[in-house]
Amino acid sequence: MRFVIVTGMSGAGKSTALKMLEDVGYFCIDNLPVALLPKLLELFKVPSQEFNKVALGIDIRGGHNFTDMEKMLRDISYEMLFLDSGDSVLVKRYKETRRTHPLAVHGNIWEGLEKERQVLEPIKKKADYIIDTSLLLTRELKRELYKIFVDNQEYKNLYLTVVSFGFKYGIPNDADLVFDVRFLPNPYYVDELRPLTGLDDEVFNYVMASDTAKAFADKLEDMIRFLIPNYIKEGKTSLVIGIGCTGGKHRSVTIARELFSRLSKSDEYGIRLEHRDAEKDRLLKK
């Protein structure tokens, strides 16, 4: 029997994870009180085709005593999936849904999140899989879960986001690494390329025809590949790589596309591509 504990921060996507697991044949139970776990384990000890894959959602709602949970699971083989997200993202999600955090005193979400992190920190350190959902779309989260629980791929607990941006709109707040590509040939000064973006092949090919762009892409890829295993070793679960040019429309989009193409060939981590400002000039002119 494959037995999965789904836990993590409130609002980080546990319900989505359980629904996905249910869709691929797991028997799922959400919000299970820790006190009821022994009774449930007794049921699962009996061989059954119906319960050959089980996922339990256990989090702060089920009581604080996670130490007891670990003792109860001592004699059973299980995997633990921990879903996390940045506090600012979680606060935004709570405000959008108008729900109350389980530990929020007088509705103070920030205080509730701080208490929850303290309780869950020992559990997170022992998790088999950690997914940071701060930047993930629902379909991207499902894709990562599918890799782990359907394709049985080895998972390194790191998710990369390559994001292009324009410096005139500000550096992304969540960027871990920022690279300035304003030294590359600028398609803005070519009349027929100016209205296009790095998503158009004409612009992409123009920028990448430069020997400087090719050399930079090679060096950037080499550095990121060097950093990834070291970040994984240190327990980092989310890495945001910002690629910036003046307006975030031509050069940054091109290099972000190129880096994403090179890094997406590996199964050691999840990866997504985002172009934050590529369409802003076009929208502003309407």
Side-chain angles (χ1 to χ4, degrees), residues 106-138:
H106 306 302
N108 190 324
I109 302 174
W110 290 99
E111 186 177 320
L113 291 173
E114 183 179 355
K115 290 181 179 180
E116 185 177 21
R117 286 204 183 278
Q118 292 174 355
V119 173
L120 293 180
E121 185 59 29
I123 298 299
K124 183 178 180 180
K125 291 179 179 179
K126 297 178 181 180
D128 298 286
Y129 317 107
I130 302 173
I131 300 180
D132 190 314
T133 67
S134 300
L135 298 173
L136 296 187
L137 300 174
T138 299

Side-chain angles (χ1 to χ4, degrees), residues 1-175:
M1 181 180 73
R2 189 168 188 181
F3 189 73
V4 180
I5 300 293
V6 179
T7 188
M9 293 296 292
S10 301
K14 296 187 297 296
S15 295
T16 298
L18 286 166
K19 287 177 183 176
M20 179 271 171
L21 291 172
E22 189 173 49
D23 289 344
V24 295
Y26 280 77
F27 177 78
C28 298
I29 302 176
D30 191 16
N31 193 18
L32 181 75
V34 174
L36 295 182
L37 188 55
K39 297 286 185 182
L40 197 65
L41 293 178
E42 286 296 324
L43 175 64
F44 293 149
K45 285 180 181 179
V46 180
S48 168
Q49 288 296 319
E50 186 179 359
F51 301 131
N52 64 338
K53 293 191 295 184
V54 177
L56 300 183
I58 302 178
D59 54 36
I60 204 70
R61 297 169 297 172
H64 296 196
N65 204 341
F66 283 99
T67 303
D68 286 349
M69 180 186 74
E70 291 185 87
K71 292 177 181 178
M72 296 172 191
L73 294 170
R74 186 168 46 201
D75 297 327
I76 189 169
S77 176
Y78 68 95
E79 302 164 72
M80 185 179 294
L81 167 66
F82 191 101
L83 295 170
D84 200 357
S85 193
D87 285 353
S88 59
V89 176
L90 293 174
V91 169
K92 181 181 178 182
R93 291 175 183 172
Y94 268 103
K95 288 185 176 180
E96 287 175 348
T97 59
R98 299 185 179 181
R99 298 188 64 191
T100 302
H101 187 279
L103 300 183
V105 179
H106 306 302
N108 190 324
I109 302 174
W110 290 99
E111 186 177 320
L113 291 173
E114 183 179 355
K115 290 181 179 180
E116 185 177 21
R117 286 204 183 278
Q118 292 174 355
V119 173
L120 293 180
E121 185 59 29
I123 298 299
K124 183 178 180 180
K125 291 179 179 179
K126 297 178 181 180
D128 298 286
Y129 317 107
I130 302 173
I131 300 180
D132 190 314
T133 67
S134 300
L135 298 173
L136 296 187
L137 300 174
T138 299
R139 67 173 181 272
E140 293 168 333
L141 172 59
K142 288 181 177 179
R143 184 166 63 238
E144 293 307 299
L145 294 173
Y146 203 91
K147 288 179 184 178
I148 302 170
F149 298 107
V150 178
D151 292 339
N152 297 313
Q153 295 182 15
E154 185 177 359
Y155 195 75
K156 298 292 186 177
N157 289 338
L158 181 68
Y159 201 93
L160 272 63
T161 297
V162 180
V163 55
S164 67
F165 70 93
F167 279 98
K168 71 178 183 179
Y169 298 113
I171 296 174
N173 293 330
D174 51 2

Side-chain angles (χ1 to χ4, degrees), residues 34 42 104 150 189-190 214 218 220 235 264 284:
V34 174
E42 286 296 324
V150 178
Y189 297 108
V190 180
K214 293 174 184 174
D218 289 341
L220 180 59
S264 60
L284 290 173

Side-chain angles (χ1 to χ4, degrees), residues 187-235:
Y188 180 84
Y189 297 108
V190 180
D191 290 343
E192 60 269 26
L193 299 181
R194 186 177 303 148
L196 304 178
T197 75
L199 295 172
D200 297 297
D201 289 341
E202 296 93 328
V203 171
F204 181 88
N205 293 334
Y206 175 86
V207 175
M208 292 309 300
S210 162
D211 290 338
T212 302
K214 293 174 184 174
F216 175 75
D218 289 341
K219 293 179 184 295
L220 180 59
E221 178 191 6
D222 184 58
M223 185 178 70
I224 299 300
R225 290 196 182 280
F226 167 78
L227 291 172
I228 285 172
N230 289 285
Y231 278 130
I232 292 174
K233 190 186 304 181
E234 289 301 311

Side-chain angles (χ1 to χ4, degrees), residues 165 167 178-184 216 242-246 251:
F165 70 93
F167 279 98
V178 175
F179 298 94
D180 184 348
V181 297
R182 287 177 288 189
F183 60 89
L184 297 178
F216 175 75
I243 311 291
C245 64
T246 304
R251 294 166 290 181

